[in-house]
Amino acid sequence: MRRYEDNYKQKGLRRQLVDNIRKKGITDENVLAAINNIPRHYFLDTAFEGIAYEDRAFPIGEGQTISQPYTVAYQSQLLEVKPFEKILEIGTGSAYQACVLGELKANVYTIERQKKLFDLVKSFPFKSKYPTLRFFYGDGYEGLPTYAPFDKVLVTAAAPQIPEKLLKQLKIGGKMVIPVGGGDVQRMLRITKVAEDQFEEEIFDNFSFVPMLAGKNS
């Protein structure tokens, strides 16, 4: 059974990572503290432990990746997370982003469509540090209407267009952060729901995400 250890070297590398993403423009100190507090190497295969704190994405299986820390921090900052907010996350992956949201004291409902990844996360001991995280196996395009409305929605995969069902599950005044676009590059958007059928859209930087796919993969 794998032993999870967080030694001085790894903590030092994490501080360097935080300094790096601060220099790249992340200013939310709560987000930076969350990145600093979470041992990213726990979320990766032991083969990647020596490079876990490089600011880049790594494969986690099933054609998916753990996002670059800068990207995680960027999306979290745009989301403007407040304690106890109810957040829907589309694309659990390794659960690293979900744990960052948990570290920010949010109540997180996270969906994964890949059954193997969902099962891996279910048995991941570190997640027990965050009792406010709830994990679901399902289709991200459908969201979680039973638990709606949400204060925030975070999509961690590239959508060809903004999913209507997820907009419906946002509270009025709520925000969605989502990378939108086909091909290798997407534009990061932040959408604010100002009335039941009225939205304001802000456009931010370009990123590259794995595609958001419909349905479930067993």
Side-chain angles (χ1 to χ4, degrees), residues 54-107:
E54 293 182 8
D55 189 22
R56 59 190 178 105
F58 292 105
I60 56 169
E62 307 307 305
Q64 305 302 299
T65 60
I66 181 172
S67 290
Q68 179 183 357
Y70 172 72
T71 304
V72 171
Y74 191 100
Q75 285 199 294
S76 301
Q77 178 167 283
L78 280 187
L79 208 58
E80 298 175 343
V81 180
K82 297 177 178 62
F84 315 116
E85 283 188 324
K86 193 172 165 186
I87 298 179
L88 173 62
E89 182 196 29
I90 308 302
T92 310
S94 68
Y96 179 65
Q97 172 74 78
C99 288
V100 169
L101 298 176
E103 186 73 24
L104 294 168
K105 300 182 172 58
N107 294 305

Side-chain angles (χ1 to χ4, degrees), residues 30-218:
N30 292 326
V31 170
L32 292 167
I35 299 287
N36 191 56
N37 289 341
I38 296 175
R40 188 180 188 233
H41 61 282
Y42 287 5
F43 298 79
L44 292 163
D45 188 275
T46 51
F48 293 104
E49 274 199 12
I51 52 174
Y53 295 105
E54 293 182 8
D55 189 22
R56 59 190 178 105
F58 292 105
I60 56 169
E62 307 307 305
Q64 305 302 299
T65 60
I66 181 172
S67 290
Q68 179 183 357
Y70 172 72
T71 304
V72 171
Y74 191 100
Q75 285 199 294
S76 301
Q77 178 167 283
L78 280 187
L79 208 58
E80 298 175 343
V81 180
K82 297 177 178 62
F84 315 116
E85 283 188 324
K86 193 172 165 186
I87 298 179
L88 173 62
E89 182 196 29
I90 308 302
T92 310
S94 68
Y96 179 65
Q97 172 74 78
C99 288
V100 169
L101 298 176
E103 186 73 24
L104 294 168
K105 300 182 172 58
N107 294 305
V108 183
Y109 296 69
T110 180
I111 304 176
E112 176 55 55
R113 68 180 294 275
Q114 298 281 358
K115 187 66 163 59
K116 287 181 183 175
L117 291 181
F118 174 75
D119 288 341
L120 277 173
V121 166
K122 263 202 315 189
S123 61
F124 178 42
F126 184 73
K127 76 178 187 343
S128 64
K129 184 184 175 188
Y130 303 104
T132 59
L133 304 189
R134 301 179 71 173
F135 296 87
F136 299 85
Y137 170 55
D139 182 348
Y141 278 99
E142 297 297 319
L144 290 170
T146 306
Y147 297 93
F150 296 94
D151 297 295
K152 307 280 171 65
V153 175
L154 179 62
V155 179
T156 64
Q161 60 270 327
I162 299 160
E164 290 291 329
K165 289 181 179 178
L166 299 185
L167 291 174
K168 284 187 170 63
Q169 292 172 38
L170 259 183
K171 284 182 180 175
I172 292 172
K175 297 179 190 295
M176 177 192 295
V177 172
I178 179 171
V180 176
D184 295 332
V185 178
Q186 300 85 40
R187 183 71 84 169
M188 194 70 73
L189 304 182
R190 181 168 61 190
I191 297 143
T192 303
K193 187 171 186 174
V194 294
E196 196 51 53
D197 294 305
Q198 188 180 345
F199 302 89
E200 290 177 353
E201 188 177 293
E202 299 168 90
I203 301 172
F204 295 92
D205 295 334
N206 288 333
F207 287 86
S208 183
F209 283 80
V210 295
M212 181 176 173
L213 302 174
K216 295 188 286 187
N217 189 351
S218 59

